[in-house]
Amino acid sequence: MATTLFRQNAARSALRTLKPITGARAGLGGVTCTRGKATLPDLPYDYSALEPSISGKIMEVHHKNHHNTYVTSFNNFTEKLSTLSSSSDQSPQSIADQAALIPLIKFHGGGHINHSLFWENLAPKNQGGGELPSGALGKAIDEHYGGLDKLKEKFNAALAGIQGSGWAWLVQDMGTGKLSIVTLQNQDPVLPPLRPILGVDAWEHAYYLQYQNRKAEYFGAIWDVINWKAAEKRFK
């Protein structure tokens, strides 16, 4: 009985962790797929377009190497899980092999989700980067935090408090509509009942080539290229 249940649910259990992107549009802000496989999204700006806040070299390495690795690994591990779960061999070893793939799928799938959102979070200054949030999101920030400067202060404090690798997110509770700041380790994605509004990558690969150990400078500079228009579209 347990074997049968595992065969039926192994793949969908692994993918359930990625549920926030179900139904999202193809392209930035959601998983990009071609014939059932995740694909690396193109950036809507040149690698050097975010300078001096983020160097072109960092953007190139971050996008072409790091993000692409998450996409490739996610596809490889989900394919392996699908093959194993559909096999007639459902021995204890086979089941153990399937279970071992699930956290790998979550990690690399989360990396794909987080980076897809992150690229959309950013924009060159001549495309609106750094412009103040407006509309309902701007009003909510004023109500919850007393203004954008105080939000930045709390957000950067959360970023600085991350030990090791992770992300800080401005999120919205889907039930209450309230905003809050959360930090997540490694590549854990934001999951319901929270909705990701704005995220900043605190992994070393996001800043080290330019800022080295001065990550607080990166946390300060990135606000000059934050795309609040994209964040406003996620706010409900």
Side-chain angles (χ1 to χ4, degrees):
M1 179 69 165
T3 299
T4 301
L5 288 174
F6 192 93
R7 290 182 64 185
Q8 293 175 342
N9 295 321
R12 78 183 66 166
S13 296
L15 296 176
R16 192 175 293 123
T17 62
L18 310 181
K19 195 171 181 179
I21 51 98
T22 300
R25 66 180 178 84
L28 290 174
V31 165
T32 51
C33 295
T34 301
R35 295 182 180 177
K37 288 193 174 185
T39 58
L40 182 69
D42 293 329
L43 299 186
Y45 41 78
D46 294 335
Y47 288 135
S48 61
L50 303 180
E51 294 181 346
S53 295
I54 307 176
S55 73
K57 186 61 176 178
I58 283 180
M59 289 298 295
E60 182 177 5
V61 171
H62 200 171
H63 177 253
K64 289 174 65 176
N65 294 357
H66 291 281
H67 189 175
N68 195 45
T69 295
Y70 294 125
V71 171
T72 301
S73 298
F74 173 77
N75 287 332
N76 288 341
F77 289 131
T78 52
E79 185 175 352
K80 287 180 180 178
L81 180 59
S82 178
T83 299
L84 286 171
S85 64
S86 62
S87 171
S88 59
D89 176 15
Q90 293 301 313
S91 63
Q93 183 58 57
S94 176
I95 293 174
D97 291 342
Q98 292 173 61
L101 289 169
I102 292 175
L104 296 173
I105 291 172
K106 178 182 178 181
F107 176 81
H108 292 285
H112 181 34
I113 292 171
N114 292 340
H115 284 88
S116 294
L117 292 170
F118 184 56
W119 309 136
E120 196 176 53
N121 280 167
L122 306 174
K125 288 187 176 182
N126 62 7
Q127 295 180 26
E131 290 183 2
L132 298 179
S134 60
L137 178 57
K139 182 179 179 181
I141 289 173
D142 289 340
E143 291 176 350
H144 287 287
Y145 295 100
L148 182 60
D149 287 340
K150 290 185 178 180
L151 167 64
K152 290 180 182 179
E153 182 179 344
K154 291 181 180 295
F155 199 99
N156 284 359
L159 282 165
I162 294 173
Q163 296 183 355
S165 301
W167 294 71
W169 293 91
L170 179 66
V171 299
Q172 181 184 23
D173 187 290
M174 293 179 179
T176 65
K178 290 184 177 180
L179 293 173
S180 61
I181 297 168
V182 299
T183 58
L184 296 170
Q185 291 295 312
N186 300 316
Q187 293 297 349
D188 286 357
V190 176
L191 298 175
L194 300 179
R195 176 186 295 114
I197 303 299
L198 174 74
V200 173
D201 190 346
W203 281 63
E204 281 193 346
H205 64 237
Y207 63 85
Y208 198 82
L209 285 176
Q210 181 175 2
Y211 294 96
Q212 299 180 358
N213 64 324
R214 304 183 311 278
K215 63 180 180 181
E217 292 183 25
Y218 160 68
F219 298 152
I222 199 169
W223 294 101
D224 290 337
V225 290
I226 288 296
N227 185 358
W228 285 106
K229 292 180 180 178
E232 289 165 11
K233 291 178 181 178
R234 299 186 195 132
F235 185 75
K236 306 295 184 183

